[in-house]
Amino acid sequence: MTTPPRWGIASTGKIAASMVTALHALPDAEITAVGSRSQASADEFASTHGIARAWGSYDELFADPDVDIVYVASPHSHHREMTIAALDAGQHVLCEKAFAVNAAEAREMVDAARRNDRFLMEAMWTWFIPAVVELRDRIAAGSIGRLLTIEAAFGIRVDVPDGRHRRPDLAGGALLDVGIYPLTFACFLTGEHPTDVRAYGQLTPDGVDETFAGVASFPSGPLATFQASIGALSGHGARIVGTDGRVEVDAPFWHTAGFTIHRDGAEPERVALPNSGLAHEAAHAMARVRAGHRESDVIDLATTLRTMELLDDVRAQLGVVYPSES
Ligand SMILES: NC(=O)c1ccc[n+]([C@@H]2O[C@H](COP(=O)([O-])OP(=O)(O)OC[C@H]3O[C@@H](n4cnc5c(N)ncnc54)[C@H](OP(=O)(O)O)[C@@H]3O)[C@@H](O)[C@H]2O)c1
């Protein structure tokens, strides 16, 4: 018998399957149910992953009295509706990134969490990966001197016809899917939000951002350069440069297992840490719920709202407007 919260999985897509694998590896996690738009998909997912209960609608999952926390893993376009429905039903929520389509939606979700006195957190797993946390701490401790630049890229090639990445109605595009990582990586490492951001991009014929690049400047001085694409595979490492050296972060930077610190006149220092992927954020969410908290103290809701405002700013510069916004 595990201690609550017991998990419900909202969707049967790719990351939902990865999260279930991660939860199964945690000794104190229990998954009670999965919900899907279709009974067949819920049944198949439940049988593949050894989950006892399969609901053929999200509403039934949200009404399940044996589910304490829901993992929302639908396309961005559906995060608001599903998160608010679960919160209004009295469940806690861990919602995938990008948390919402825009900051206005994110505010509604935060309001729903407060109104229902429930836990809500953005599932930005990077912020819980041990090597990323260690990297931030080393930089803050001055290991490469004064921080000057952070470079990161996340490009993938996604050509799936009618897949969510390229569909405006599902809030597709590079920014919400992959571009959020290089942007928020710099926020995490600096502990700040940019004072200014400039971005340029190319859109698909359907009007979502296929590729973009830009620069953000942070209050304490550092500049972050970022690139993202759903049209081409890029390198996935990151480089952080300071006045006394630089750090080369192993690919993929957003869930890296290690990095190398190069200091002038010294042997490179290698840092590597165990990495359990999505399990770190899931364990954190469970611990916060068990302790009676209503948000994370690593990625709190104010941070998530500022992230959404940053994404809105970049997306406006790229000229992407989703159908739900027009
Ligand atoms: N943390 C990470 O590493 C990571 C990685 C990839 C993606 N993500 C995020 O996770 C979310 C899902 O991504 P994914 O790659 O898992 O997507 P996916 O494979 O396309 O799965 C999305 C699932 O959402 C459900 N869904 C509900 N309404 C839908 C609709 N109108 N159209 C299509 N699907 C709908 C579907 O499940 P049912 O058919 O069962 O309803 C579908 O299987 C996104 O927010 C994405 O940015 C995070």
Side-chain angles (χ1 to χ4, degrees):
M1 179 78 182
T2 53
T3 317
R6 298 157 299 176
W7 290 87
I9 308 297
S11 106
T12 56
K14 285 199 202 72
I15 198 67
S18 302
M19 179 56 90
V20 166
T21 303
L23 288 172
H24 280 324
L26 287 174
D28 57 349
E30 179 182 352
I31 306 171
T32 318
V34 59
S36 169
R37 290 167 300 169
S38 96
Q39 189 64 54
S41 188
D43 288 342
E44 188 185 337
F45 191 92
S47 126
T48 304
H49 296 284
I51 298 172
R53 211 171 291 168
W55 295 113
S57 76
Y58 290 120
D59 284 344
E60 286 172 291
L61 175 71
F62 302 147
D64 188 331
D66 295 324
V67 169
D68 305 304
I69 181 166
V70 171
Y71 172 59
V72 171
S74 53
H76 313 129
S77 49
H78 289 63
H79 289 181
R80 170 180 59 173
E81 180 190 332
M82 288 169 59
T83 294
I84 292 176
L87 291 167
D88 282 344
Q91 294 167 334
H92 306 290
V93 174
L94 175 65
C95 177
E96 259 308 331
K97 48 53 63 179
F99 190 66
V101 168
N102 54 39
E105 286 194 3
R107 278 183 218 106
E108 287 181 45
M109 294 155 72
V110 171
D111 287 348
R114 301 219 161 111
R115 178 171 75 234
N116 290 293
D117 191 26
R118 296 290 86 183
F119 175 87
L120 176 61
M121 177 181 140
E122 174 188 355
M124 175 41 83
W125 62 321
T126 303
W127 293 34
F128 300 88
I129 301 293
V132 176
V133 175
E134 178 70 14
L135 172 63
R136 179 204 52 194
D137 292 348
R138 295 285 189 112
I139 291 169
S143 105
I144 54 167
R146 183 166 55 84
L147 188 56
L148 297 181
T149 57
I150 299 166
E151 311 165 29
F154 192 157
I156 52 174
R157 182 166 175 169
V158 195
D159 292 328
V160 184
D162 212 31
R164 68 175 181 82
H165 292 85
R166 289 177 175 272
R167 278 177 52 179
D169 61 318
L170 296 182
L175 177 64
L176 298 195
D177 208 79
V178 290
I180 184 173
Y181 286 103
L183 275 163
T184 56
F185 187 62
C187 297
F188 181 73
L189 294 183
T190 57
E192 298 179 336
H193 277 260
T195 43
D196 195 16
V197 60
R198 306 286 166 92
Y200 301 88
Q202 294 150 357
L203 307 192
T204 66
D206 290 328
V208 300
D209 48 308
E210 182 171 70
T211 302
F212 70 90
V215 59
S217 78
F218 286 80
S220 62
L223 297 172
T225 56
F226 51 85
Q227 293 176 38
S229 181
I230 53 168
L233 191 64
S234 69
H236 288 160
R239 176 179 295 130
I240 298 128
V241 178
T243 48
D244 300 338
R246 71 175 202 281
V247 184
E248 301 286 345
V249 183
D250 297 357
F253 73 85
W254 60 94
H255 61 115
T256 190
F259 52 88
T260 306
I261 306 175
H262 301 264
R263 290 187 203 86
D264 302 342
E267 283 297 307
E269 181 185 354
R270 182 82 195 129
V271 179
L273 287 169
N275 184 353
S276 306
L278 298 168
H280 298 289
E281 65 174 356
H284 172 81
M286 285 194 292
R288 293 295 286 177
V289 169
R290 279 178 191 147
H293 296 291
R294 295 301 182 235
E295 58 187 302
S296 166
D297 57 349
V298 173
I299 184 158
D300 60 23
L301 294 169
T303 301
T304 291
L305 291 176
R306 283 199 298 272
T307 296
M308 287 311 311
E309 286 161 6
L310 175 61
L311 297 180
D312 283 359
D313 186 353
V314 172
R315 195 157 56 81
Q317 294 181 44
L318 301 180
V320 175
V321 180
Y322 293 118
S324 63
E325 301 175 307
S326 54

